[in-house]
Amino acid sequence: MDSKKSILYVFLLATLITLALGQARIGFYQTSCPQVETIVQTAVQSAINSNPTIAPGLLRMFFHDCFVNGCDASILIDGASSEKTALPNSLLRGFEVIDAAKTQLETACPGVVSCADILALAARDSVVQTGGASWQVPLGRRDGLVSRASDAASLPGFNEPINALITKFSDKNLNIQDLVTLSGAHTIGTAACVLFSYRLYNYNNTNGPDPTIDPDFLPTLRNLCPNGGDGTRRVALDTGSVGNFDTSYYSNLRNGRGVLESDAALMNNPATKALVNRFLGIRGMAGLSFNVEFGRSMVRMGNIELKTGNQGEIRRVCTTTN
């Protein structure tokens, strides 16, 4: 066997071993589709330039995909009872961006790049487009064959207590630091009034607001979401810094300005509260770099329940009927 054949053999063997272990890897498309990252990045950049709300939409879409049967693009599948129809996914946005990138990739390297990998790259590029740091995205996922709305019950809820959130992350082999870090994605997100207005008026049937909300912040939220008002109105989850990927989200949590109950809950547990403070560089605590840790946690989340071999496929069209 000559040297070139030997190198190719080793490369293919390494690829097969990686897939057998159910792990993605850096440079997976280096020879089969070297343009993949550039094509996805261009599609994401164009979409966000036209509509900045696409950035948090794509990031949230990846999160919602990974927490339901793994990072397999099952969130993209259309159908009467697919994941996309589940209530927690009803307001997701950015599907057309994944389709646009896939169309271009099918021209450049047909049948090679999975929709799951496109979504993973798009989530990273959304962070970069809003001022966050980049990270290397391991690739090699295959697309899932199943998409059921009922499976969306595994998604962390906007009103769940901290112990429930910790358990749901642990079920996906993600730890408390991953929970606090990935919650930081809300630095560029918004939420509909219907998801948190119950905290403002009659919290737990007390005829008053959630006592953990900063009293000086309460009038702002009530003005945005009046009692009985438009529940679809969207409000920044990171007041004063919406659209900027930074640590302002954690400052707001520390100051009682978390909008969603699940965000505010991070201050209700000593371990999660300590991590919030470490991201803020509180004196006397070892600091953490949000950008660095976010990339690491995204890689860990991106490895949830990867599909290999006949467990998945390479879809030619990402948004399709199952």
Side-chain angles (χ1 to χ4, degrees):
M1 183 181 297
D2 61 37
S3 59
K4 288 185 178 179
K5 289 183 178 179
S6 296
I7 292 172
L8 179 60
Y9 175 78
V10 171
F11 174 79
L12 291 174
L13 181 61
T15 299
L16 289 172
I17 291 173
T18 298
L19 290 174
L21 293 173
Q23 296 176 338
R25 64 176 175 80
I26 304 297
F28 183 85
Y29 298 110
Q30 186 173 355
T31 56
S32 60
C33 191
Q35 318 98 305
V36 58
E37 296 206 27
T38 300
I39 289 174
V40 175
Q41 181 184 54
T42 300
V44 171
Q45 184 176 21
S46 176
I48 293 174
N49 285 343
S50 298
N51 180 2
T53 66
I54 291 296
L58 290 171
L59 189 53
R60 183 171 176 237
M61 190 190 302
F62 183 58
F63 184 98
H64 281 221
D65 183 46
C66 289
F67 261 74
V68 182
N69 298 323
C71 309
D72 63 354
S74 53
I75 188 67
L76 303 177
I77 295 176
D78 287 326
S81 58
S82 67
E83 286 173 40
K84 192 186 290 189
T85 67
L87 186 60
N89 297 326
S90 60
L91 297 178
L92 288 179
R93 65 188 70 191
F95 295 104
E96 71 281 0
V97 182
I98 306 303
D99 285 337
K102 180 62 170 175
T103 298
Q104 294 178 58
L105 285 165
E106 284 301 306
T107 298
C109 33
V112 171
V113 180
S114 68
C115 300
D117 279 341
I118 296 173
L119 182 51
L121 289 169
R124 187 271 311 274
D125 294 339
S126 295
V127 170
V128 175
Q129 287 298 312
T130 50
S134 185
W135 64 88
Q136 288 189 304
V137 179
L139 302 171
R141 299 165 185 81
R142 292 179 74 84
D143 299 321
L145 303 171
V146 176
S147 183
R148 295 181 295 254
S150 58
D151 292 337
S154 61
L155 287 167
F158 63 88
N159 59 349
E160 289 189 305
I162 189 63
N163 288 339
L165 296 173
I166 291 172
T167 296
K168 284 193 171 181
F169 271 71
S170 178
D171 288 345
K172 302 300 179 182
N173 293 318
L174 297 174
N175 59 31
I176 291 177
Q177 182 166 321
D178 294 318
L179 165 60
V180 178
T181 303
L182 293 171
S183 294
H186 287 168
T187 183
I188 58 171
T190 62
C193 289
V194 69
L195 298 182
F196 65 88
S197 58
Y198 67 91
R199 300 181 66 209
L200 310 180
Y201 300 101
N202 188 28
Y203 182 69
N204 287 345
N205 297 315
T206 60
N207 292 318
D210 183 339
T212 66
I213 299 175
D214 173 16
D216 292 333
F217 185 47
L218 184 61
T220 299
L221 291 180
R222 284 180 166 175
N223 182 58
L224 292 168
C225 302
N227 198 10
D230 181 6
T232 65
R233 183 174 185 179
R234 302 196 70 82
V235 175
L237 292 172
D238 185 5
T239 302
S241 186
V242 65
N244 297 316
F245 200 87
D246 55 27
T247 58
S248 174
Y249 163 81
Y250 297 110
S251 296
N252 279 322
L253 293 189
R254 182 188 59 187
N255 295 328
R257 297 191 169 206
V259 175
L260 294 179
E261 188 167 13
S262 56
D263 286 338
L266 297 180
M267 300 302 289
N268 297 337
N269 173 283
T272 56
K273 181 179 180 179
L275 286 162
V276 169
N277 286 330
R278 289 180 68 187
F279 279 126
L280 292 172
I282 300 298
R283 182 176 296 179
M285 305 191 74
L288 287 171
S289 168
F290 177 45
N291 275 314
V292 171
E293 297 305 325
F294 192 82
R296 289 174 177 170
S297 288
M298 285 289 283
V299 170
R300 283 194 286 270
M301 185 176 71
N303 278 322
I304 294 175
E305 301 171 39
L306 297 188
K307 307 296 186 292
T308 60
N310 59 12
Q311 295 175 319
E313 62 181 349
I314 304 296
R315 243 179 270 151
R316 302 300 291 264
V317 178
C318 290
T319 304
T320 186
T321 302
N322 65 337

